[in-house]
Amino acid sequence: MVVSKKKYTFVVDMESKNNSDNRTSIPTRTNPFMESYGTLHDTVPFDKIQFEDFEPAFLEGIRRDNEAILRIVDNFEAPTFDNTIAWTDDSKGEHYYDLLDRVSNTFSCLMNAETNPQMEALAQKLSPVLTKHENDVTLNPRLFARIKQVYEHHRKLTAEEQMLLDKEYDAFVRSGALLDEAGKDRLRKLTEEASMLALQFSQNLLKENKAYILHLTDRRQLDGLPDTAVDAAAMAAKEKGLEGWVFTLDFPSYSPFMTYSTQRDLRKQIYMARSTECTHDNDANNLDICRRLVNVRREIAQMLGYDTFADYVLKHRMASNVENVYKLIHDLINAYKPAAIEEVKAVEEGARRAEGPDFKLEPWDFSFYSHKLQMEKYNLDAEMLRPYFQLDNVVKGVFGLANRLYGITFKENKQIPVYHPDVKAYEVFDKDGSYLAVFYADFYPREGKQGGAWMTEFQGQWITKKGKNVRPHVSVVTNFTKPTATKPALLSLGEVETFLHEFGHSLHGMFANTRFESLSGTNVWWDFVEMPSQFMENYAVEPDFLHTFAFHYQTGEPIPDELISRIVRSRNFNVAYACMRQVSFCLLDMAYYTQREPFTQDIIPFEKQAWKEAMVTPQLPDTCMTAQFSHIMAGGYAAGYYSYKWAEVLDADAFSVFKREGIFNRATAQRFRDCILSRGGTEHPMTLFKRFRGQEPTIEALLQRNGIRK
């Protein structure tokens, strides 16, 4: 998000000690964003930043942006790539920092990981200001005239320079630079509205999520739950000043309850709470917001010459067009749906064996009876694995994997400031011992933290004109199972996979090695960005990797080979069902963003129809995914949710190379780093992939990995 700024005075003038009236001097305080941080690796000084620092830093950052743009457009020299496109990048000196980027990165990271009512109110206030500034830049006719001149007449460029030029020119065109004044005014209003709607969506979802608790006081209601879930619920109750046990909609609390609780009425209660978030008749209802977001995005796309918002988005995606997205979706449905139907049937039959022939399986029963079937088939339970997945050991294992593949090392440094006591900061060093990056890890759920898991950055990577390689500061944020009074943090296998996934994103960021920051790291096309992260998930079930860190937290005994064998054998348990679930989300996303006419339908029935083709279990009339579907409403995945499945095809194909050449093969890993991880968005992603793989990807490796094709 970008903003618009005005002049602001940040330093209080001091009275001189030598004044004749001999008054005591007033201590001064400089806004930390406004000067060199003076910290190790110039990391964010969270210990010095106060809430009051954000707004003036945003406004001053906008003012500096405007000043820099004036210098570009007022340049009397003919427009060139160097004085117009790369001007800001090449003027970056030893102590350069972009104030607006600096404060925006910090603020947005905290909005997701450590927000509060003050931050949310400021976000509401600044959102239209930032959007206006972004529009002021992209709709500046003098600036676009120079960019257009360079686009049409330029010197011979490197591949990276050409990519930057194409990206800049197209960004202006796709932001309305070719519209007439009336069109530009209308576009401004629409983009400002979309920004506010997305922010409101996120704030409503956080509010609803944190408002719900399932408070239990009768120990009999805990029947079936593992000790880890019970201990965590007791701690949650204590934190809220309550007796008994508290379960929430945060995944580490919700998921074990749905999997293990024998109390069907309580499973239904918490399931319905989660599945109806932001649909209730209160001020956190997102249904009208979703409808309006779909229409605003459609209108923006059509103003810019596209039939639908999906057409607009897919121009800059590997999929290229709507037809290719639907081809992937239908290929997956054809390959996986028959197996998914059989998987659901097996769960239903297992439930009837346990409960009687008239038992009807409901959505709040599926995890419970799936778990029972998994135990029956493989004698494997997530709780059996938790003792071997102590978080500290998992972290060592994942860091060790990075060392084994790429030679990099991680060293915790408590001198680097953090924004919450839960957060740890690490210096990362390359295989030659040189400094590579700063890595932050924030693992546990808490008030003010969004659910889910993500990777973000406080500072990107770029190379200054003088050749200094400014290294990135990346962060992984999750909501893992917390330690309790009696046990350390013990993860499920799914949480281990989540960590590997987000760590894959962080490697993409940490290995960035490009000239221009806007092309570095994860600044790649959206259906390519998930490939490096999903690639890392493959290691979660590799025995040779598990042997490096999976030791019992009490005895120190390594995870038994027989248990690993069960993990491997059960890897594809309900994999087709899981695929259809993801595909249903893809269909829902595309249904909204391929709308050509104003969208006026009721969200809930529309949703049921949109994903019907991929459904393998009955739908409930009152539940609604859309109202809580942050990815496509507020998270940048609008008309792009298919990216997860697209990238899964890529990651399976890429990992097949490691399976053939050795999963720890240093030469293969170096090629992966050189061809993909370090190159960011400097070339077309298919070019990068083929450079590593030697050919375009096929769906075969994914089908074989999932056991769909033998």
Side-chain angles (χ1 to χ4, degrees):
M1 198 183 326
V2 192
V3 174
S4 147
K5 345 163 184 177
K6 63 180 181 182
K7 183 71 177 174
Y8 196 95
T9 304
F10 298 95
V11 183
V12 180
D13 290 331
M14 277 200 313
E15 293 288 341
S16 167
K17 289 185 178 179
N18 296 323
N19 280 356
S20 56
D21 60 4
N22 219 14
R23 286 182 293 181
T24 305
S25 63
I26 302 172
T28 63
R29 179 181 178 276
T30 302
N31 187 321
F33 289 116
M34 303 291 295
E35 61 182 0
S36 176
Y37 284 156
T39 53
L40 181 64
H41 306 306
D42 209 34
T43 50
V44 181
F46 292 107
D47 54 337
K48 296 179 182 176
I49 293 171
Q50 298 175 7
F51 169 75
E52 292 75 16
D53 296 326
F54 285 107
E55 184 172 5
F58 270 115
L59 298 176
E60 174 63 9
I62 292 172
R63 188 195 67 78
R64 291 187 190 182
D65 261 14
N66 291 337
E67 209 172 61
I69 289 166
L70 273 178
R71 284 197 290 271
I72 296 174
V73 300
D74 287 344
N75 189 343
F76 65 88
E77 296 177 349
T80 66
F81 178 87
D82 301 283
N83 69 19
T84 301
I85 305 300
W87 186 87
T88 53
D89 290 270
D90 281 345
S91 65
K92 292 176 177 179
E94 187 75 12
H95 301 292
Y96 170 89
Y97 66 89
D98 183 316
L99 176 59
L100 191 53
D101 275 357
R102 172 185 272 195
V103 66
S104 294
N105 288 345
T106 302
F107 187 80
S108 62
C109 290
L110 294 180
M111 273 293 293
N112 286 317
E114 187 64 10
T115 192
N116 56 53
Q118 275 186 306
M119 296 276 286
E120 291 173 5
L122 182 58
Q124 290 273 6
K125 179 180 180 181
L126 289 177
S127 179
V129 179
L130 291 164
T131 305
K132 178 182 181 300
H133 174 61
E134 186 172 2
N135 285 331
D136 287 345
V137 174
T138 56
L139 297 176
N140 184 317
R142 295 176 65 201
L143 180 58
F144 178 65
R146 289 185 68 92
I147 292 171
K148 186 171 184 288
Q149 176 70 16
V150 177
Y151 184 74
E152 295 172 346
H153 309 281
H154 56 77
R155 62 171 171 78
K156 183 175 177 57
L157 303 175
T158 66
E160 183 174 349
E161 289 172 335
Q162 186 66 56
M163 185 64 82
L164 180 66
L165 175 57
D166 292 345
K167 182 177 181 178
E168 289 296 308
Y169 176 78
D170 208 41
F172 274 73
V173 171
R174 288 164 63 83
S175 297
L178 297 178
L179 296 175
D180 59 21
E181 288 308 309
K184 288 178 181 178
D185 287 344
R186 177 60 181 158
L187 189 67
R188 283 177 181 273
K189 290 182 174 66
L190 290 171
T191 53
E192 289 175 14
E193 183 181 2
S195 177
M196 285 297 295
L197 288 168
L199 177 62
Q200 187 62 54
F201 179 98
S202 295
Q203 292 182 345
N204 286 348
L205 183 56
L206 180 64
K207 180 179 178 181
E208 283 272 280
N209 182 276
K210 300 304 178 185
Y212 177 86
I213 63 169
L214 176 62
H215 180 208
L216 305 180
T217 55
D218 185 344
R219 181 171 285 276
R220 289 173 296 182
Q221 294 175 306
L222 305 176
D223 185 55
L225 295 172
D227 290 344
T228 52
V230 173
D231 291 347
M235 187 168 70
K238 186 176 181 181
E239 289 172 352
K240 294 181 181 297
L242 299 172
E243 296 295 323
W245 303 268
V246 162
F247 296 88
T248 71
L249 301 182
D250 291 328
F251 194 76
S253 178
Y254 174 85
S255 180
F257 197 92
M258 296 304 297
T259 303
Y260 297 101
S261 173
T262 64
Q263 309 298 293
R264 195 182 189 209
D265 59 329
L266 295 180
R267 291 203 310 268
K268 177 180 179 180
Q269 183 185 142
I270 196 169
Y271 174 87
M272 292 302 295
R274 199 167 202 254
S275 300
T276 59
E277 283 183 302
C278 299
T279 64
H280 307 294
D281 187 16
N282 57 28
D283 60 1
N285 188 299
N286 274 339
L287 294 176
D288 285 341
I289 289 175
C290 294
R291 190 180 296 107
R292 183 59 189 154
L293 267 170
V294 169
N295 280 317
V296 167
R297 288 167 177 162
R298 174 194 53 76
E299 187 175 347
I300 288 172
Q302 290 176 343
M303 286 187 67
L304 296 171
Y306 298 88
D307 288 340
T308 70
F309 187 72
D311 292 311
Y312 168 79
V313 167
L314 292 167
K315 183 183 177 184
H316 279 183
R317 298 291 188 269
M318 292 180 76
S320 301
N321 55 55
V322 171
E323 291 72 24
N324 286 338
V325 173
Y326 276 116
K327 182 182 184 305
L328 172 68
I329 288 172
H330 289 120
D331 284 349
L332 292 169
I333 290 174
N334 292 335
Y336 286 82
K337 189 172 182 179
I341 291 171
E342 291 302 313
E343 289 171 353
V344 172
K345 184 179 177 182
V347 174
E348 289 174 331
E349 289 173 349
R352 291 193 187 105
R353 285 197 301 271
E355 308 297 342
D358 296 329
F359 182 80
K360 181 184 177 184
L361 189 76
E362 298 286 0
W364 47 85
D365 299 319
F366 195 83
S367 293
F368 182 77
Y369 290 102
S370 291
H371 164 251
K372 285 188 173 297
L373 181 61
Q374 187 177 29
M375 284 294 293
E376 184 182 311
K377 292 180 70 171
Y378 305 105
N379 190 26
L380 185 68
D381 172 80
E383 295 305 306
M384 294 177 181
L385 303 179
R386 281 189 191 274
Y388 298 98
F389 293 151
Q390 183 178 347
L391 177 58
D392 289 345
N393 287 341
V394 174
V395 171
K396 291 175 185 175
V398 173
F399 286 175
L401 174 60
N403 176 261
R404 198 165 176 180
L405 289 172
Y406 305 107
I408 63 175
T409 54
F410 293 74
K411 179 182 178 184
E412 184 179 1
N413 191 325
K414 295 184 178 179
Q415 300 306 308
I416 296 175
V418 293
Y419 55 85
H420 188 276
D422 284 350
V423 181
K424 291 185 177 182
Y426 300 83
E427 292 177 279
V428 188
F429 299 96
D430 214 335
K431 58 186 175 183
D432 62 358
S434 62
Y435 163 66
L436 182 68
V438 171
F439 175 80
Y440 298 88
D442 180 1
F443 291 124
Y444 306 126
R446 56 178 174 268
E447 291 290 328
K449 186 178 186 180
Q450 293 282 3
W454 60 93
M455 169 266 181
T456 187
E457 62 181 25
F458 293 103
Q459 175 176 289
Q461 177 272 332
W462 75 86
I463 298 174
T464 69
K465 188 174 183 180
K466 294 182 179 179
K468 179 182 178 181
N469 197 323
V470 178
R471 301 308 305 163
H473 304 161
V474 306
S475 176
V476 163
V477 187
T478 66
N479 282 271
F480 288 161
T481 303
K482 296 171 68 172
T484 67
T486 59
K487 292 185 180 71
L490 302 174
L491 305 190
S492 67
L493 179 60
E495 288 174 320
V496 174
E497 289 174 329
T498 296
F499 185 27
L500 284 164
H501 179 103
E502 300 307 333
F503 189 74
H505 281 311
S506 74
L507 289 175
H508 203 180
M510 290 188 287
F511 285 144
N513 193 33
T514 65
R515 175 181 167 191
F516 303 115
E517 184 177 8
S518 62
L519 298 177
S520 76
T522 55
N523 288 304
V524 300
W525 287 0
W526 222 238
D527 48 8
F528 190 63
V529 76
E530 295 298 336
M531 193 279 275
S533 54
Q534 292 180 180
F535 169 86
M536 290 296 289
E537 291 184 49
N538 287 282
Y539 284 94
V541 294
E542 289 292 334
D544 288 345
F545 171 57
L546 292 171
H547 280 309
T548 66
F549 73 92
F551 302 101
H552 196 284
Y553 80 101
Q554 289 175 313
T555 67
E557 292 295 313
I559 187 169
D561 288 337
E562 193 273 333
L563 187 52
I564 292 178
S565 176
R566 278 186 269 159
I567 293 173
V568 174
R569 291 201 312 274
S570 69
R571 176 183 190 178
N572 290 326
F573 178 72
N574 282 355
V575 69
Y577 167 81
C579 178
M580 285 299 94
R581 184 172 180 272
Q582 286 290 96
V583 168
S584 72
F585 298 160
C586 301
L587 284 169
L588 180 62
D589 176 33
M590 294 302 289
Y592 284 123
Y593 294 115
T594 53
Q595 296 288 318
R596 287 179 164 79
E597 303 298 329
F599 180 69
T600 58
Q601 298 184 50
D602 289 342
I603 291 286
I604 295 177
F606 177 86
E607 173 180 290
K608 308 304 180 193
Q609 184 62 35
W611 61 20
K612 185 177 180 181
E613 188 179 3
M615 280 292 141
V616 290
T617 55
Q619 301 189 63
L620 298 179
D622 298 327
T623 58
C624 184
M625 172 71 174
T626 302
Q628 54 190 276
F629 202 173
S630 292
H631 279 77
I632 70 167
M633 292 297 166
Y637 280 82
Y641 197 81
Y642 77 93
S643 299
Y644 285 100
K645 300 310 292 185
W646 186 278
E648 199 172 346
V649 172
L650 299 177
D651 95 69
D653 203 51
F655 196 69
S656 69
V657 179
F658 281 78
K659 291 290 284 186
R660 184 179 69 244
E661 299 178 2
I663 64 168
F664 301 119
N665 188 296
R666 183 70 71 88
T668 308
Q670 186 64 43
R671 194 166 80 250
F672 191 66
R673 173 178 176 175
D674 293 341
C675 295
I676 293 176
L677 297 180
S678 68
R679 300 313 305 146
T682 55
E683 295 181 76
H684 192 289
M686 187 58 78
T687 301
L688 299 178
F689 185 87
K690 286 167 63 177
R691 191 172 294 147
F692 167 73
R693 181 67 175 93
Q695 63 185 46
E696 291 195 4
T698 71
I699 199 172
E700 287 304 310
L702 178 62
L703 295 176
Q704 290 178 21
R705 183 175 75 185
N706 289 164
I708 300 299
R709 188 163 297 163
K710 305 299 181 184

